[in-house]
């Protein structure tokens, strides 16, 4: 018999699979449990409803991402490198198949209809902005970002990254995720009064 943590994980994995097959909508608790090989009692040991399950999935992925971003920023030598790493990590997600699929599922119309979804998205946005503001404060203090207004700028920087992220997810972008990250980085650093790090360019072959 699976432990409670293993049981919960089976339900979440089954939900991702089921929602992927259903295009993010139309999957019932029964459908999810059939894939998980579990009964109704197991589901309600962990979740109050399908909406509760969707919010738990959204929260888990969002918290995992924020932890990764904060870890990368904390290990960076300078605030410029920390901000650059944040931008690159966010946009790199769009080219990772499994996580790209998770984003599609958790931003689908079916997920957005879940009770409490808007509040959860707002909480995630606030957490990301607070973490970005910490990087900007570091840069303001050491002179890397002389024009930074940390709390205000963090909100706009997150919005710029989100726009580039959405374009990559929608496959409407005119450039790769790597190129988009470089463009966003250069724009943000200019706005903060910083100098973008030099990027080596390979000479064209003749």
């Amino acid at each position: 018999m699976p432990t409670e943590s293993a049981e919960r994980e089976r339900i979440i994995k089954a939900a991702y699979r089921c929602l992927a097959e259903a295009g993010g909508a139309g999957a019932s608790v029964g459908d999810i449990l059939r894939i998980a090989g579990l009964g109704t009692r197991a589901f309600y040991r962990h979740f109050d409803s399908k909406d509760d399950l969707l919010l738990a999935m959204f929260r888990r992925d969002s918290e995992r991402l924020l932890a990764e971003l904060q870890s990368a920023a904390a290990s960076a030598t300078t605030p410029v490198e920390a901000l650059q790493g944040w931008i690159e990590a966010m946009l790199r997600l769009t080219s990772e198949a499994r996580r790209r699929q998770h984003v599609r599922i958790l931003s689908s119309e079916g997920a957005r209809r879940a009770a409490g979804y808007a509040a959860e998205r707002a909480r995630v946005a606030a957490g990301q902005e607070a973490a970005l503001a910490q990087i900007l404060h570091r840069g303001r203090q050491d002179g890397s970002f002389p024009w930074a207004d940390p709390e205000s700028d963090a909100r706009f920087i997150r919005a710029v990254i989100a726009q580039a992220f959405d374009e990559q997810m929608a496959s409407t972008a005119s450039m790769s995720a790597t190129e988009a990250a470089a463009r966003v980085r250069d724009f943000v650093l200019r706005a903060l009064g910083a100098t973008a790090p030099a990027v080596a360019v390979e000479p064209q072959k003749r």
Side-chain angles (χ1 to χ4, degrees):
M1 186 174 182
T3 64
E4 286 206 0
S5 59
E7 197 173 65
R8 180 184 175 91
E9 186 66 20
R10 276 172 64 176
I11 293 170
I12 289 175
K13 285 184 177 179
Y16 274 122
R17 178 180 163 189
C18 194
L19 289 165
E21 292 172 355
S28 68
V29 169
D31 296 330
I32 293 167
L33 289 175
R34 274 193 295 276
I35 290 176
L38 296 169
T40 304
R41 183 178 295 179
F43 181 87
Y44 288 106
R45 268 199 292 270
H46 305 285
F47 308 103
D48 294 332
S49 63
K50 180 183 169 184
D51 283 359
D52 188 37
L53 168 61
L54 287 168
L55 291 183
M57 292 162 66
F58 183 88
R59 188 178 303 115
R60 187 178 78 158
D61 275 15
S62 300
E63 289 176 352
R64 181 177 296 170
L65 172 61
L66 181 57
E68 290 173 4
L69 295 171
Q70 289 177 311
S71 177
S75 64
T77 305
T78 67
V80 171
E81 290 177 358
L83 187 54
Q84 177 179 331
W86 180 292
I87 294 167
E88 290 173 349
M90 277 294 298
L91 291 175
R92 189 165 56 244
L93 281 180
T94 65
S95 58
E96 297 178 9
R98 182 181 63 83
R99 298 183 82 169
R100 183 182 177 92
Q101 183 185 67
H102 283 198
V103 171
R104 286 192 183 282
I105 290 168
L106 296 176
S107 59
S108 67
E109 183 179 350
R112 291 198 303 269
R113 287 199 300 265
Y117 183 84
E120 192 62 33
R121 280 189 70 94
R123 186 190 67 80
V124 168
Q128 291 184 355
E129 288 168 15
L132 281 168
Q134 289 180 356
I135 297 173
L136 301 185
H137 275 294
R138 285 172 55 196
R140 180 74 181 267
Q141 290 169 0
D142 75 0
S144 299
F145 305 142
W147 302 342
D149 180 357
E151 275 69 32
S152 178
D153 290 347
R155 182 163 59 93
F156 290 110
I157 290 169
R158 193 193 69 80
V160 170
I161 297 170
Q163 177 64 33
F165 186 95
D166 289 346
E167 288 176 2
Q168 293 293 323
M169 288 299 302
S171 302
T172 58
S174 59
M175 62 188 76
S176 70
T178 300
E179 292 170 325
R183 294 288 184 88
V184 171
R185 176 205 65 199
D186 291 350
F187 170 77
V188 167
L189 292 182
R190 286 198 306 272
L192 296 170
T195 303
V199 178
V201 178
E202 294 183 2
Q204 294 183 345
K205 297 181 180 179
R206 296 184 178 179

